[in-house]
Amino acid sequence: MTKFIFLITTLFLSLSALFAEEGMYPLSELHTIDLQKAGFKISAADIFNQEAPSLSDAIVKLGGCTGSFISPQGLILTNHHCAFRAVQTASNAEHDYLKNGFMAAGREQEIEAKGYTVRITQSFKDVSAEVLKDLDAISDFAERNKTIKRRRKEITARAEKENPGMRAEVAEMFKGQTYVLFLYTYLKDVRLVYVPPISIGNFGGETDNWEWPRHTGDFSILRAYSAPDGSPAEYAADNVPYQPKKYLNVTPRGVDENDFVFLLGYPGRTYRHRTSYFTAYEEHVHMPFVADWYQWQIHLLEDLGKEDRATALRFSATIKSLANTEKNYRGKLRGLGRLQMVRKKRGQEAQIQAFLQKDEALQRRYGAVLNAIKNIYDEKTNSAERDYILSYLTRSVSALSFANTVYKAAEEREKEDLERESAFMNRNFERTKKRLFIRLQNFDLQADELILTELLRKAAQLPKGQRIKSMDRLFSLNNPERDWQKAIKQAYDDAKITQKDFLSKAFQQSFEQIQKTNDPFLQWIQALQPDIKALKEKNERQSGELSKLSAQWAEVKRLYEKNTFIPDANSTFRLTYGHIRGYAPADAVYNFPITTVAGILEKHTGQAPFNAPDKLRQLIKAKAFGFLQSATLHTMPVGILYDCDTTGGNSGSPVLNAKGELVGLNFDRAFGATINDFAWDESYSRSIGVDIRYILWLLQKYAGAGYLLDEMGIDHN
Amino acid sequence: MTKFIFLITTLFLSLSALFAEEGMYPLSELHTIDLQKAGFKISAADIFNQEAPSLSDAIVKLGGCTGSFISPQGLILTNHHCAFRAVQTASNAEHDYLKNGFMAAGREQEIEAKGYTVRITQSFKDVSAEVLKDLDAISDFAERNKTIKRRRKEITARAEKENPGMRAEVAEMFKGQTYVLFLYTYLKDVRLVYVPPISIGNFGGETDNWEWPRHTGDFSILRAYSAPDGSPAEYAADNVPYQPKKYLNVTPRGVDENDFVFLLGYPGRTYRHRTSYFTAYEEHVHMPFVADWYQWQIHLLEDLGKEDRATALRFSATIKSLANTEKNYRGKLRGLGRLQMVRKKRGQEAQIQAFLQKDEALQRRYGAVLNAIKNIYDEKTNSAERDYILSYLTRSVSALSFANTVYKAAEEREKEDLERESAFMNRNFERTKKRLFIRLQNFDLQADELILTELLRKAAQLPKGQRIKSMDRLFSLNNPERDWQKAIKQAYDDAKITQKDFLSKAFQQSFEQIQKTNDPFLQWIQALQPDIKALKEKNERQSGELSKLSAQWAEVKRLYEKNTFIPDANSTFRLTYGHIRGYAPADAVYNFPITTVAGILEKHTGQAPFNAPDKLRQLIKAKAFGFLQSATLHTMPVGILYDCDTTGGNSGSPVLNAKGELVGLNFDRAFGATINDFAWDESYSRSIGVDIRYILWLLQKYAGAGYLLDEMGIDHN
């Protein structure tokens, strides 16, 4: 028997090696895949087609997530964690939708998902030539970087003018090399339809986050609305459900182990083409700083939230977001260490250098590129602690963040629109303000004060030569008798910047007025500007230089590997495919790729995050699975695992079968797979989804929301 | 493919259900097993035989562990953790055998394993009638209990007199019902031969303890010595290797998944026949108190040992032992909760009560038994916190433990030998003293003071009605102005009881002299006596009553179930059998039953407890496995998992194949299996061993101890 099991396992792995492959294919690269051979039973035109409705028309970018239309009336399926901020914003201690879940009994009860927008990719076009034209003439790297940015804005502005109502974006596919213009339909009225209680939608919480086997019902249902004429519009009472060009067929038949699947969505960011120096900087400098700093904030917010549900609710989305990144970084750090990624990249780079040295012309042209990249990361490393403290001052401290936004808004809004920082351009400014006001809703004076204090404590400990001069001066950090605590306390007592009315007015004032405004945080921000601006200028210069060097290094790699690459993820539309597949996470362990409701009962402790609702546990024990029961497992599936190539941003991506029918909802990766942002490998790259049968069963039996199944066209009687 | 895997897994489970069964069979019950049907290829006479050498002659009880002879020259194979205390005692900061391991290049280099003895079971005989004769005439329960104890001592003394040089023991098989006299060969000179470094012998440490998959090389090799004439003797330079009647054949062929295996050994204690009231007391009172108290001590000792290797070494065995129990209890507590053990036992008991009520005579005779048992556990529960504090005072605080031992020794030694507490009888007294002096070697004033302080703090918080009067008086615990810290400090400054010479002399003094001795701890112990004695008397009474009631309840259960039982483990010789078998620890997870060296590289972090030696990792990477490589796995196996029925005390038990050849070395159970002390079940009861091939390979390639393989008769050239 031993031999059989081992044989079968080995067989799996060899089969996998045949079928799964790295790749988040952009639309422009779909033609390079042999779809039939890969396992698709549909054509490229079924996936993307500018002439007729295709699957891509059913896929939406929803903030940093993905979603998909699953009904002709604009119903959107996405993750619970993607709708989390909207649910939290709609909740209060009285109506605790986060805890209890939410179901709109009818359209009129659907709640605005504040700050949420929806984008649907309509077209794409390579604009690299225009972006990069005559760039070599610019020797100043900061100037070079600003030029690229300005040209991207110009092309965007022109495209939006030529296509009224659409949203445009020029995405960087390869740093300093390839730029693509995307056009999007852009909807601004999104509403909550169904949200499970957090004890289902986030079952397992941070303990299970990034883990497999998984039993989280991480889904929510939203609906997009448009003006009565079908055109995009801001939230309004008389808006009507948006009718998408295409919506996905939801199939209650689900999937089995080894079935072919593919995903469509908007993966955020990967770093596979970066050098060992970037990777070492991430491993030893950037990620450790951020993980520790986030962990410190998580502990603080959890402590402060212990006594009071309203406070806890206010912190919940922030904690969730910090914890998600923190654990993701810990997973990456572990993976980078275990896989000796930097050492491996160094080895490859040494081979490439040896290759260059064999050819005098190549060596002259490219020989110094890698070392120049190294020098930039050395420079970044030297001042990293200092630079992070300064930049988190206006990110982690809400009062300073508000002041900075108001200050920059006033300053930038006096410039030409195209010259402004992106957040303050006309097309983005309303959204920037909206986000600020949502953050204001969750403002907590005590937490903010403690976070500021901690950053000042860090700044006070910086070594000579790395001091942040404006902070030293402002808070007397060099003075051993300093009493910054008192100054901070006073500032929060006197603060106007944390008041809604003040902020609304402030956004209408001129830069001159703002500079004179008598608010302690605005004045601090003003005093900090020399350092903030110097840092920004340094970043521009480094980005500009890296942009040029990265393009050169990519040329070298193409010469060496005689191959083309798929660009790293950059929040644009991508396709990835693979199979429902288990894996061996450790010696002597095999994880099956489909979990079942049995695991919910096993994990249930009664204490959050393992507190499955009584009703759910009763339904499981009653085995009332009906037509949604898996024919092969003879029970209700919950989670599915597959070897597709995903990253953050694929949250909410539909998992589709060979025919393009929806069989699952992507929401996470296995812990070992977080490292695939740096390097993909079939043995450890596994993504996690909710089985559609579990979602449909919860809607039908747990929520009693049969009308939603009706709307999806599913016969459930 | 899905179906295959699931089918095979299902098949496993059904096969398992057929083949594995609960049971730690005592020698007296071997005849009830159909050996051939079970899978043995040997007969009962091959296992135990008073007329001729048999396997049981190769099995030794080694302190609280098991070991087995593996050479004609008295070589004993047991666990690293079983030899741990001996290795620690032989180590110092200069010769750190714990850290670096130990190998005797020749016989003369073998080191005394201080305090270690070896027992070999020679015969057994039921003596229940003599122990229980006319017991019903004794109505006082404390008296009843003392009578049973005295009769067991009398029979023991008589047997040892009739069999000079042998060790006798009257073991309680069923409380108040069945007593068996065992005769043992008893060796007192045991020496260390080979000990791997702790980074192999305890690889994974407390993190992996009670866990599967496992990669710990938990083995050591000792040697028993006798006088030159072959008779048992204390350690002496001219002793010679003991020549056992029988030693085990070690087979380098190892095992495969699903192979039949059996274990022989001395399992310590199980509680499967106890009532729900005992189980509830363990779950809610006893184990939580002990687990928390041990955890507190572990944290303390770890903190104190951080700075200095010598201190850390002194604490190492104590920490290991505390942590082992602590995690075992946590596992049991989780299991009791998950399996709802108390609720299930209550259900069975209710059925038995209903069964009794149907028969008036039975009801009259047994109807009140269960409630009487309940009353005892209620009484125990009420004063548990108080009683535990008092009893841990003379167990956890070394200075008080020494004082108590000296005090009791003087008091008891003035009685007739048979009237003494067991530890102070002539046959045990030398061992009692030896153990005390070993503990003295590890005495740490600072730790002891802090442990005493913590217990006083606990005592001071006891509610009215539960106060320990002698402690209140002695340490002024009721006085809010109390300054016990100062008194403690002074006592440790003045203490003589922690000095070796003082202790040696004290053991020779009369009770009167001891009572007058001017040592603070001796005087404290004297002042605490009223409470210590009252507690002892209460325990005698409760034990006496439980002894009678348990016997009655067992009768009821036999009537109800119409069946005989196998007695709970009680440190006497037992056999258990089963198969090399994986399991599903959680939904969607399958654990294979054989781990490999790949897992050592996976787990290695370079930091203890996952710091595999460089040499080992190089050997693994070089795949230099030779004739010991597994033919089915094509690599070196490390750990094996099987569904045999074991508990603490089976540590060091040989794992034998159907022919009785040694294929592994038992050392642990899976975490979920700790609960099998309360109830055995094929689905979660799994024991863990070291694969013999890994042991032989380490000896051959890592240690270069080929001469040990020669001694075992293994051809390795």
Side-chain angles (χ1 to χ4, degrees):
Chain A
M1 204 72 87
T2 315
K3 282 185 213 153
F4 277 95
I5 273 279
F6 276 98
L7 207 135
I8 286 172
T9 313
T10 316
L11 201 60
F12 277 161
L13 299 178
S14 1
L15 282 176
S16 315
L18 274 176
F19 289 140
E21 56 178 282
E22 175 175 5
M24 299 177 175
Y25 292 88
L27 290 170
S28 60
E29 304 294 318
L30 287 188
H31 69 276
T32 66
I33 316 172
D34 182 335
L35 292 177
Q36 307 316 309
K37 197 176 155 198
F40 288 87
K41 289 180 180 154
I42 53 175
S43 69
D46 293 325
I47 297 168
F48 179 74
N49 191 344
Q50 274 186 260
E51 313 304 320
S54 62
L55 289 179
S56 70
D57 292 312
I59 313 301
V60 306
K61 181 160 159 51
L62 190 84
C65 288
T66 299
S68 57
F69 289 119
I70 52 168
S71 90
Q73 298 295 316
L75 223 46
I76 294 174
L77 180 65
T78 189
N79 293 143
H80 180 268
H81 77 264
C82 294
F84 198 95
R85 184 69 81 172
V87 181
Q88 182 232 332
T89 306
S91 294
N92 50 47
E94 199 184 343
H95 294 288
D96 196 337
Y97 301 133
L98 209 50
K99 188 175 163 208
N100 306 317
F102 168 77
M103 179 169 82
R107 297 253 166 93
E108 65 293 341
Q109 286 188 22
E110 296 175 1
I111 302 176
E112 183 186 4
K114 281 186 189 158
Y116 279 60
T117 59
V118 151
R119 295 185 191 200
I120 309 150
T121 301
Q122 296 304 333
S123 70
F124 65 95
K125 181 183 158 193
D126 192 304
V127 293
S128 310
E130 187 176 348
V131 172
L132 299 173
K133 196 180 165 205
D134 297 333
L135 262 197
D136 285 343
I138 306 171
S139 60
D140 180 82
F141 287 118
E143 191 49 41
R144 181 190 165 97
N145 206 45
K146 285 177 193 162
T147 305
I148 293 177
K149 277 192 190 170
R150 193 174 51 248
R151 288 184 185 166
R152 290 168 71 180
K153 287 181 195 165
E154 285 164 2
I155 298 169
T156 305
R158 197 175 62 219
E160 290 185 353
K161 204 173 160 192
E162 287 168 3
N163 298 277
M166 301 278 253
R167 184 96 181 160
E169 176 195 24
V170 174
E172 183 177 67
M173 308 307 280
F174 288 107
K175 224 180 186 26
Q177 268 196 330
T178 320
Y179 295 85
V180 172
L181 167 67
F182 288 90
L183 278 178
Y184 299 99
T185 298
Y186 188 54
L187 305 174
K188 284 166 282 187
D189 184 354
V190 183
R191 306 187 192 177
L192 294 173
V193 177
Y194 178 78
V195 181
I198 193 163
S199 52
I200 290 177
N202 194 27
F203 182 77
E206 289 314 316
T207 312
D208 269 10
N209 192 15
W210 304 106
E211 302 288 345
W212 180 263
R214 196 65 161 278
H215 299 84
T216 312
D218 192 351
F219 80 101
S220 290
I221 296 181
L222 311 177
R223 193 189 300 279
Y225 279 75
S226 66
D229 67 355
S231 67
E234 293 286 342
Y235 177 85
D238 63 348
N239 280 352
V240 298
Y242 174 74
Q243 301 191 351
K245 275 199 247 177
K246 173 89 182 175
Y247 63 91
L248 299 179
N249 284 325
V250 174
T251 171
R253 282 181 307 281
V255 277
D256 278 327
E257 185 164 4
N258 291 313
D259 279 0
F260 171 87
V261 289
F262 71 102
L263 275 75
L264 299 173
Y266 292 88
R269 202 147 281 287
T270 54
Y271 312 98
R272 297 181 193 159
H273 298 315
R274 306 291 186 98
T275 62
S276 67
Y277 300 103
F278 167 83
T279 312
Y281 177 78
E282 286 294 313
E283 181 174 359
H284 302 300
V285 184
H286 176 232
M287 291 199 292
F289 181 93
V290 175
D292 290 348
W293 173 233
Y294 283 13
Q295 192 173 41
W296 185 89
Q297 289 180 74
I298 292 163
H299 288 323
L300 173 73
L301 299 183
E302 280 176 348
D303 274 355
L304 295 178
K306 259 179 197 153
E307 302 302 324
D308 175 43
R309 177 66 190 155
T311 309
L313 205 52
R314 209 161 50 229
F315 293 152
S316 58
T318 304
I319 290 177
K320 193 167 162 63
S321 151
L322 292 168
N324 189 52
T325 300
E326 196 258 345
K327 195 165 177 187
N328 176 301
Y329 281 12
R330 302 279 181 213
K332 283 179 169 140
L333 287 169
R334 197 167 76 166
L336 287 172
R338 290 214 169 166
L339 298 173
Q340 298 276 300
M341 194 75 80
V342 169
R343 209 166 55 104
K344 279 182 199 155
K345 288 207 175 220
R346 289 266 149 93
Q348 289 162 357
E349 287 161 3
Q351 287 177 340
I352 297 179
Q353 291 289 30
F355 159 78
L356 291 178
Q357 272 166 7
K358 281 189 217 142
D359 182 321
E360 214 176 303
L362 283 182
Q363 173 66 13
R364 211 168 26 241
R365 181 151 183 204
Y366 296 116
V369 171
L370 194 62
N371 200 52
I373 292 176
K374 173 182 184 299
N375 288 341
I376 297 175
Y377 285 106
D378 284 348
E379 188 193 10
K380 282 170 104 66
T381 299
N382 284 339
S383 63
E385 179 85 10
R386 170 202 185 281
D387 293 348
Y388 286 132
I389 291 171
L390 182 57
S391 60
Y392 276 105
L393 201 63
T394 54
R395 292 167 68 182
S396 302
V397 182
S398 292
L400 282 172
S401 169
F402 301 154
N404 195 45
T405 305
V406 165
Y407 185 91
K408 300 282 291 184
E411 187 178 19
E412 295 285 312
R413 301 278 297 163
E414 300 198 345
K415 299 181 187 166
E416 284 292 313
D417 194 49
L418 283 182
E419 297 299 319
R420 295 176 194 160
E421 279 186 28
S422 173
F424 306 105
M425 291 171 69
N426 289 335
R427 59 200 286 278
N428 296 324
F429 191 45
E430 281 312 311
R431 196 175 52 176
T432 300
K433 285 192 283 186
K434 207 179 241 178
R435 283 187 184 161
L436 184 149
F437 285 112
I438 288 173
R439 182 167 180 177
L440 181 63
Q441 268 194 46
N442 298 320
F443 176 75
D444 184 276
L445 193 147
Q446 196 187 0
D448 218 48
E449 204 176 308
L450 290 166
I451 291 170
L452 173 54
T453 306
E454 178 65 12
L455 282 173
L456 293 189
R457 196 190 60 73
K458 280 176 185 283
Q461 288 177 349
L462 284 169
K464 236 180 169 176
Q466 292 291 334
R467 308 289 300 185
I468 304 165
K469 294 209 178 66
S470 58
M471 284 184 75
D472 281 349
R473 210 174 312 119
L474 207 48
F475 301 102
S476 309
L477 296 186
N478 281 319
N479 182 352
E481 306 287 310
R482 64 188 179 257
D483 188 4
W484 70 56
Q485 311 282 15
K486 206 173 148 190
I488 291 173
K489 212 157 192 47
Q490 193 61 49
Y492 279 96
D493 283 349
D494 299 344
K496 297 173 204 152
I497 199 80
T498 54
Q499 294 162 17
K500 198 172 172 185
D501 293 345
F502 176 86
L503 275 166
S504 300
K505 267 180 232 150
F507 276 124
Q508 290 158 6
Q509 291 182 310
S510 72
F511 188 38
E512 204 188 330
Q513 284 171 310
I514 288 295
Q515 283 175 305
K516 285 182 191 154
T517 301
N518 181 23
D519 173 84
F521 291 94
L522 269 175
Q523 292 182 349
W524 283 353
I525 277 296
Q526 202 168 335
L528 292 167
Q529 283 307 310
D531 282 312
I532 292 176
K533 286 198 165 135
L535 176 57
K536 186 169 174 255
E537 199 63 18
K538 184 170 73 174
N539 288 339
E540 292 276 8
R541 172 174 54 76
Q542 290 171 338
S543 290
E545 193 169 357
L546 275 176
S547 165
K548 182 171 179 179
L549 293 165
S550 301
Q552 291 177 329
W553 189 244
E555 287 167 23
V556 174
K557 280 177 78 181
R558 279 200 192 88
L559 285 171
Y560 176 72
E561 295 181 8
K562 300 183 182 66
N563 212 338
T564 57
F565 318 118
I566 289 168
D568 268 320
N570 61 349
S571 295
T572 60
F573 191 85
R574 303 291 178 109
L575 171 145
T576 171
Y577 63 90
H579 295 81
I580 301 291
R581 194 147 284 170
Y583 75 133
D587 182 41
V589 182
Y590 182 74
N591 286 347
F592 292 93
I594 305 184
T595 62
T596 75
V597 286
I600 294 173
L601 301 185
E602 279 174 18
K603 287 181 177 174
H604 176 81
T605 61
Q607 299 299 309
F610 294 103
N611 53 340
D614 286 348
K615 186 177 176 188
L616 176 62
R617 288 183 299 127
Q618 280 156 20
L619 284 168
I620 294 171
K621 286 177 188 163
K623 301 187 198 300
F625 306 132
F627 73 107
L628 292 162
Q629 173 167 306
S630 158
T632 48
L633 304 178
H634 309 294
T635 180
M636 177 55 60
V638 175
I640 52 177
L641 190 77
Y642 30 89
D643 57 5
C644 300
D645 188 0
T646 75
T647 188
N650 273 122
S651 280
S653 272
V655 183
L656 304 157
N657 65 15
K659 290 190 268 181
E661 297 167 328
L662 194 148
V663 294
L665 176 64
N666 186 69
F667 70 97
D668 203 5
R669 279 173 289 164
F671 192 62
T674 54
I675 184 65
N676 78 353
D677 286 352
F678 290 94
W680 188 90
D681 189 287
E682 210 287 327
S683 67
Y684 57 72
S685 290
R686 288 291 182 284
S687 298
I688 300 173
V690 195
D691 193 299
I692 192 65
R693 291 167 289 192
Y694 183 55
I695 294 174
L696 294 174
W697 181 69
L698 286 171
L699 289 173
Q700 182 197 24
K701 298 279 185 174
Y702 179 82
Y707 73 97
L708 290 175
L709 274 67
D710 292 336
E711 193 177 329
M712 296 177 216
I714 290 172
D715 179 9
H716 57 94
N717 296 310
Chain B
M1 200 74 84
T2 315
K3 283 185 214 158
F4 277 96
I5 273 279
F6 276 99
L7 207 137
I8 286 174
T9 312
T10 318
L11 200 61
F12 278 160
L13 299 178
S14 4
L15 282 176
S16 314
L18 274 177
F19 288 141
E21 55 178 285
E22 174 175 6
M24 299 177 175
Y25 292 88
L27 290 171
S28 61
E29 304 295 318
L30 288 189
H31 69 275
T32 65
I33 316 172
D34 183 337
L35 292 176
Q36 308 316 309
K37 198 177 153 198
F40 289 87
K41 289 182 180 153
I42 53 174
S43 69
D46 295 325
I47 296 168
F48 179 73
N49 190 344
Q50 275 187 258
E51 314 303 320
S54 61
L55 289 180
S56 70
D57 292 312
I59 312 301
V60 306
K61 180 160 161 49
L62 190 83
C65 287
T66 300
S68 56
F69 289 119
I70 53 169
S71 90
Q73 299 295 315
L75 223 47
I76 294 173
L77 179 65
T78 189
N79 293 143
H80 180 269
H81 78 263
C82 295
F84 197 96
R85 183 71 79 172
V87 181
Q88 182 233 331
T89 307
S91 294
N92 49 48
E94 199 184 344
H95 295 288
D96 196 337
Y97 301 133
L98 210 53
K99 186 173 164 209
N100 306 318
F102 168 76
M103 178 168 83
R107 297 250 166 94
E108 64 294 340
Q109 287 189 19
E110 295 175 3
I111 302 176
E112 183 185 3
K114 279 185 191 159
Y116 278 60
T117 60
V118 151
R119 292 184 192 202
I120 309 149
T121 302
Q122 296 303 332
S123 69
F124 66 94
K125 183 184 158 192
D126 191 301
V127 293
S128 310
E130 189 176 347
V131 172
L132 300 172
K133 198 179 163 207
D134 298 333
L135 262 197
D136 285 343
I138 306 170
S139 61
D140 179 84
F141 286 118
E143 191 50 41
R144 181 190 164 98
N145 206 45
K146 287 176 192 162
T147 305
I148 293 177
K149 276 193 191 168
R150 196 174 47 248
R151 288 185 185 163
R152 290 168 72 180
K153 287 181 195 167
E154 285 164 0
I155 299 169
T156 305
R158 198 175 63 219
E160 290 186 350
K161 204 174 159 193
E162 286 168 4
N163 298 278
M166 302 276 255
R167 185 96 181 161
E169 176 196 22
V170 174
E172 184 178 66
M173 308 306 282
F174 287 107
K175 225 179 186 25
Q177 270 197 329
T178 319
Y179 296 84
V180 171
L181 168 66
F182 287 90
L183 277 177
Y184 300 99
T185 297
Y186 188 55
L187 306 174
K188 286 165 281 188
D189 184 353
V190 184
R191 306 186 192 176
L192 295 172
V193 177
Y194 179 79
V195 181
I198 194 165
S199 52
I200 289 177
N202 193 28
F203 182 78
E206 290 313 317
T207 312
D208 269 10
N209 194 13
W210 305 108
E211 302 287 347
W212 181 263
R214 195 66 162 278
H215 300 85
T216 313
D218 193 352
F219 80 101
S220 289
I221 296 182
L222 312 177
R223 192 190 299 279
Y225 278 75
S226 66
D229 67 357
S231 67
E234 293 286 343
Y235 176 85
D238 63 348
N239 280 352
V240 298
Y242 174 74
Q243 301 191 350
K245 277 199 247 176
K246 174 87 182 175
Y247 64 91
L248 299 178
N249 285 325
V250 173
T251 171
R253 281 181 307 280
V255 277
D256 278 326
E257 186 164 5
N258 290 314
D259 279 0
F260 172 86
V261 288
F262 70 104
L263 275 74
L264 299 172
Y266 292 88
R269 202 146 284 286
T270 55
Y271 313 98
R272 297 179 194 161
H273 299 317
R274 306 292 187 96
T275 61
S276 67
Y277 300 103
F278 167 83
T279 312
Y281 177 78
E282 286 294 313
E283 181 174 359
H284 301 300
V285 184
H286 175 230
M287 290 198 292
F289 181 94
V290 175
D292 289 349
W293 174 232
Y294 283 14
Q295 192 174 41
W296 185 90
Q297 289 181 74
I298 292 163
H299 288 324
L300 174 73
L301 299 183
E302 281 177 348
D303 273 355
L304 295 178
K306 259 178 199 156
E307 303 301 323
D308 175 45
R309 177 66 190 156
T311 310
L313 205 51
R314 209 158 52 227
F315 293 153
S316 58
T318 304
I319 290 177
K320 192 168 163 63
S321 152
L322 292 168
N324 189 52
T325 300
E326 195 260 345
K327 193 164 179 187
N328 176 301
Y329 281 11
R330 302 279 181 212
K332 282 178 169 141
L333 287 169
R334 197 168 75 167
L336 286 171
R338 290 212 167 167
L339 299 173
Q340 298 278 300
M341 193 76 78
V342 169
R343 210 167 54 104
K344 279 183 199 156
K345 287 206 175 224
R346 290 266 148 92
Q348 289 162 358
E349 286 161 4
Q351 287 177 339
I352 297 179
Q353 291 288 31
F355 159 78
L356 291 178
Q357 273 165 7
K358 282 188 216 142
D359 181 320
E360 214 176 302
L362 283 181
Q363 173 66 14
R364 209 164 32 237
R365 182 153 182 202
Y366 296 116
V369 171
L370 195 62
N371 201 51
I373 292 176
K374 173 184 185 299
N375 289 340
I376 297 176
Y377 286 106
D378 284 349
E379 188 193 7
K380 284 169 102 69
T381 300
N382 284 339
S383 63
E385 179 86 8
R386 170 203 185 280
D387 293 349
Y388 286 131
I389 291 170
L390 183 57
S391 61
Y392 276 105
L393 202 61
T394 55
R395 290 167 70 182
S396 301
V397 182
S398 292
L400 283 172
S401 169
F402 301 155
N404 194 46
T405 305
V406 165
Y407 185 91
K408 300 282 291 184
E411 185 177 23
E412 294 285 311
R413 301 279 297 164
E414 299 196 346
K415 299 180 188 168
E416 283 293 311
D417 195 48
L418 284 182
E419 298 299 318
R420 296 175 194 160
E421 280 185 25
S422 174
F424 306 106
M425 291 172 68
N426 289 335
R427 59 199 287 277
N428 297 324
F429 190 46
E430 282 312 310
R431 199 175 47 176
T432 301
K433 286 192 285 187
K434 207 180 240 176
R435 284 186 184 163
L436 185 148
F437 285 113
I438 288 172
R439 182 166 181 179
L440 180 63
Q441 268 192 48
N442 298 320
F443 175 75
D444 184 278
L445 194 146
Q446 196 188 359
D448 218 46
E449 205 176 307
L450 290 166
I451 292 170
L452 173 55
T453 305
E454 178 66 10
L455 282 172
L456 293 189
R457 197 190 60 73
K458 281 175 182 285
Q461 289 177 349
L462 284 169
K464 238 180 169 178
Q466 291 291 336
R467 307 289 300 185
I468 304 165
K469 293 209 179 65
S470 59
M471 283 184 76
D472 282 349
R473 209 173 314 119
L474 207 48
F475 301 103
S476 309
L477 297 185
N478 280 320
N479 182 352
E481 306 287 309
R482 65 189 178 259
D483 187 5
W484 69 56
Q485 311 281 16
K486 206 172 149 190
I488 292 173
K489 207 148 196 53
Q490 192 62 50
Y492 278 96
D493 282 350
D494 299 345
K496 297 171 203 152
I497 200 78
T498 54
Q499 293 161 18
K500 198 173 172 185
D501 293 345
F502 176 87
L503 274 165
S504 301
K505 269 179 230 150
F507 276 123
Q508 290 158 7
Q509 292 184 310
S510 71
F511 188 39
E512 204 187 329
Q513 285 172 311
I514 288 296
Q515 285 175 305
K516 287 183 189 152
T517 301
N518 180 23
D519 173 85
F521 291 94
L522 269 175
Q523 292 183 351
W524 282 354
I525 277 297
Q526 203 167 334
L528 292 167
Q529 283 308 309
D531 281 312
I532 292 176
K533 287 197 165 137
L535 177 56
K536 186 169 176 254
E537 199 62 20
K538 184 169 75 175
N539 287 339
E540 291 277 5
R541 171 174 56 74
Q542 290 170 338
S543 289
E545 193 169 358
L546 275 177
S547 164
K548 184 173 178 175
L549 293 165
S550 301
Q552 291 177 329
W553 189 246
E555 286 167 23
V556 174
K557 279 177 78 181
R558 278 198 193 88
L559 285 170
Y560 175 73
E561 296 182 9
K562 301 184 182 66
N563 213 334
T564 58
F565 316 117
I566 290 167
D568 267 322
N570 62 350
S571 295
T572 61
F573 192 86
R574 303 290 179 108
L575 171 145
T576 171
Y577 64 89
H579 295 80
I580 301 291
R581 194 149 284 170
Y583 75 134
D587 182 43
V589 182
Y590 182 75
N591 285 348
F592 291 94
I594 305 184
T595 61
T596 75
V597 286
I600 295 174
L601 301 185
E602 280 174 17
K603 288 180 176 175
H604 176 82
T605 61
Q607 299 298 308
F610 294 103
N611 52 341
D614 286 347
K615 187 177 175 186
L616 177 62
R617 289 184 297 127
Q618 280 156 19
L619 285 167
I620 294 171
K621 286 177 188 164
K623 302 187 198 297
F625 306 132
F627 73 108
L628 292 162
Q629 173 166 307
S630 158
T632 47
L633 304 179
H634 309 293
T635 180
M636 177 55 60
V638 175
I640 52 177
L641 190 77
Y642 31 90
D643 57 5
C644 300
D645 187 1
T646 75
T647 187
N650 273 122
S651 280
S653 273
V655 183
L656 304 157
N657 65 16
K659 291 191 264 180
E661 298 167 327
L662 194 148
V663 295
L665 176 65
N666 187 69
F667 70 98
D668 204 3
R669 280 172 288 163
F671 193 61
T674 56
I675 183 65
N676 79 352
D677 287 352
F678 290 93
W680 188 90
D681 189 287
E682 210 285 328
S683 68
Y684 57 73
S685 291
R686 288 291 182 285
S687 298
I688 299 172
V690 194
D691 193 298
I692 192 64
R693 290 167 289 193
Y694 183 54
I695 294 175
L696 295 174
W697 181 69
L698 286 172
L699 289 173
Q700 182 197 24
K701 298 280 186 175
Y702 178 82
Y707 74 96
L708 290 175
L709 274 68
D710 292 335
E711 195 179 328
M712 296 178 215
I714 290 172
D715 180 10
H716 58 94
N717 295 308

